[in-house]
Amino acid sequence: MTTTAVEFDPFSDEYFNDPTEVYRRLRDEAPVYFSERYNFYALSRFADVVTAHRDWQGFSSAHGLDLSMLSKDPEIVRNLRSIIMMDPPERDRLRALVSRVFTPRAMTALEPMVREVVTSYLTPLEDAESFDAVADFSAHFPVEIITRMLGVPDGEANQLREWIDLSLHREPGQMEPTREGREAIMQVGAYYYQLIAEKRRNPGDDMLSRLTQVTVDRGDGEESGLDDVEITGFATLLGGAGAETVTKLIGNAAVVFDRNPEQWQRVRDEPEVIPRAVEEILRLLPPSQYQGRFSKADREFAGGLIPAGYPVLLLTGAATRDPRAFERPDDLDLDRPPSVAIGFGHGVHSCLGAALARLESRIAIEEMAKRWRRLEVDDAGLRRVHMSNVAGYSHVPVRAVRSN
Ligand code: HEM
């Protein structure tokens, strides 16, 4: 019997539809994987992914996040002025400007608004015999929440979400966004750039207005305000990260609970386990499947060397199913002992919005559990997104069985 070498193509139907098997082979057979086709390295074991996240000097974020950017001149990435694509110390100075808004303590004040937005999308579905847990629900509320926080006028969130969807979409075998995707990236940037000018003229009680008023130490002891490109960098990052990921987590939750109805019953009986359920769904099906880096120095791993000068993918989706780190890694276990939650990244770039994402996800599951005894997924109607870095469903049709 001959075995072929494992091939990992993050733009293939195999990957988009279900990467479980290719991830297993990568961990077992090629833990330091090199893609001849796209010229990148990939790490897939939990311990290696954590090590690389902690080593920002060796694995830089300043070349971008996805393979399209990582393969280009880093000067292009620099011009985007996005903290997720910067290394310390510049990243630390800029991140500090917004981090207060996203602390767990700040989330307590946000909870009523989050619940109001979540229920505004669930109430119209209460009497429906069937609906789509993503297209009718989870696609809408996260973008509405983050755009409200940013100060986007009412009624414009959905247009932003459609542009973000287009910008992340990838055709099979294509590293680059489509023409519509490239146009959508420009439209999001232009939208926020104009909105920031408006906030400078008429500031409101929102994040974008506050960012027009803050100053930052540029590293030379001199304080200066942010320019419009820098604030646009924040807006596109927060608007994008805040829109896409919780959408996927809730769609994944509907599918996972359909496969584990006794766990759904437990969530309904003991709502206090919902935060743990959120962590488990994040581990089983992380919405952000991989984080892109660029190797700045040679680094040796048990499975081989990653030389300096290459794009590197840290495969979160493979790492969180690594049996070297988790017992029965493919099972949903609400009593699993806590571990490093790399679904939100790890190290200097760990997710700024993690507390918000946890709050939104908890409230969404709480409100769904109050309303429905069962949400039976119609497998034939499941559709996955084909996106760069982000994974999950665009459509999760369910037959809804109401609570009494
Ligand atoms: C389930 C939901 C979410 C998941 C799975 C997620 C995942 C991640 C991951 C994996 C990273 C690390 C990226 C890297 O290392 O290159 C990250 C960073 C980040 N996330 Fe999230 N995220 C979520 C929700 C949010 C929300 C709601 C926001 C904000 C509104 C947000 C804002 C950010 C920002 C600004 C960063 C960059 C932090 C930095 O570079 O310092 N995320 N997120």
Side-chain angles (χ1 to χ4, degrees), residues 53 61 65 83-86 91 95 102 146 237-239 241-243 245-246 249 282 286-288 291-293 316 342-346 348-354 356-357 360-361:
H53 268 303
S61 293
L65 292 178
I83 56 166
I84 203 167
M85 297 178 237
M86 288 175 191
R91 185 213 76 108
R95 177 165 161 141
F102 294 101
I146 189 66
L237 172 61
L238 294 169
T245 45
V246 175
L249 192 138
L282 182 69
S288 175
Q291 284 74 61
R293 297 290 187 266
T316 303
I342 61 168
F344 284 124
H346 183 62
V348 292
H349 286 280
S350 67
C351 180
L352 178 73
L356 176 62
E360 290 179 3
S361 305

Side-chain angles (χ1 to χ4, degrees), residues 38-351:
Y38 300 105
N39 193 44
F40 67 83
Y41 281 85
L43 293 171
S44 49
R45 289 187 182 169
F46 184 82
D48 294 341
V49 169
V50 169
T51 300
H53 268 303
R54 289 182 178 157
D55 178 10
W56 62 263
Q57 287 98 337
F59 295 98
S60 167
S61 293
H63 291 239
L65 292 178
D66 67 359
L67 283 170
S68 156
M69 284 189 264
L70 285 161
S71 307
K72 295 197 175 84
D73 181 348
E75 199 48 34
I76 300 172
V77 172
R78 231 194 113 58
N79 292 336
L80 297 174
R81 309 294 297 141
S82 183
I83 56 166
I84 203 167
M85 297 178 237
M86 288 175 191
D87 290 329
E90 189 183 20
R91 185 213 76 108
D92 301 347
R93 286 193 293 270
L94 288 170
R95 177 165 161 141
L97 296 175
V98 288
S99 49
R100 239 175 318 140
V101 178
F102 294 101
T103 58
R105 179 191 282 231
M107 291 306 116
T108 311
L110 273 184
E111 180 157 346
M113 184 271 275
V114 170
R115 201 174 291 278
E116 176 213 314
V117 175
V118 164
T119 49
S120 77
Y121 284 98
L122 286 182
T123 305
L125 304 174
E126 278 172 358
D127 294 324
E129 282 178 12
S130 60
F131 61 89
D132 193 312
V134 175
D136 296 329
F137 174 50
S138 75
H140 302 284
F141 76 84
V143 71
E144 175 130 358
I145 290 166
I146 189 66
T147 53
R148 274 201 201 183
M149 291 170 72
L150 287 169
V152 170
D154 285 353
E156 294 180 11
N158 204 42
Q159 172 64 77
L160 284 162
R161 183 183 62 83
E162 284 172 8
W163 283 332
I164 296 160
D165 279 352
L166 281 172
S167 72
L168 291 173
H169 176 77
R170 296 292 184 277
E171 289 295 316
Q174 297 300 311
M175 196 195 291
E176 300 293 330
T178 59
R179 187 175 53 78
E180 289 88 352
R182 288 194 302 276
E183 282 168 15
I185 295 168
M186 309 291 283
Q187 280 163 312
V188 173
Y191 175 89
Y192 280 121
Y193 196 81
Q194 282 169 15
L195 183 60
I196 290 157
E198 172 58 24
K199 298 285 177 190
R200 285 195 194 278
R201 285 192 296 272
N202 294 306
D205 182 16
D206 55 61
M207 281 183 79
L208 289 183
S209 297
R210 280 191 289 282
L211 285 171
T212 65
Q213 294 151 7
V214 294
T215 59
V216 61
D217 176 354
R218 300 293 178 170
D220 50 10
E222 295 287 314
E223 292 264 334
S224 63
L226 297 179
D227 65 31
D228 290 357
V229 175
E230 287 174 312
I231 305 176
T232 302
F234 268 120
T236 47
L237 172 61
L238 294 169
E244 286 293 337
T245 45
V246 175
T247 298
K248 306 297 180 290
L249 192 138
I250 294 302
N252 293 343
V255 174
V256 168
F257 283 123
D258 176 66
R259 309 300 189 244
N260 296 272
E262 71 299 341
Q263 301 301 323
W264 180 243
Q265 191 52 45
R266 181 156 176 215
V267 156
R268 285 169 41 82
D269 294 341
E270 302 169 51
E272 60 282 7
V273 302
I274 294 177
R276 268 147 53 198
V278 170
E279 299 306 312
E280 259 302 81
I281 291 157
L282 182 69
R283 185 192 66 76
L284 274 176
L285 295 170
S288 175
Q289 284 280 302
Y290 53 84
Q291 284 74 61
R293 297 290 187 266
F294 195 83
S295 57
K296 296 303 246 190
D298 292 1
R299 289 289 193 257
E300 193 71 46
F301 291 84
L305 175 88
I306 297 189
Y310 283 88
V312 181
L313 299 186
L314 312 183
L315 298 179
T316 303
T320 58
R321 299 281 195 107
D322 186 351
R324 294 160 194 81
F326 301 95
E327 278 180 33
R328 295 173 293 101
D330 299 329
D331 291 356
L332 174 75
D333 177 358
L334 303 188
D335 298 314
R336 194 179 286 282
S339 70
V340 177
I342 61 168
F344 284 124
H346 183 62
V348 292
H349 286 280
S350 67
C351 180

Side-chain angles (χ1 to χ4, degrees), residues 365-383:
I365 295 175
E366 274 173 20
E367 294 296 331
M368 288 162 80
K370 275 185 209 164
R371 287 169 175 76
W372 291 291
R373 193 148 45 87
R374 271 303 305 268
L375 291 171
E376 285 167 15
V377 172
D378 168 12
D379 282 5
L382 285 174
R383 296 281 175 276

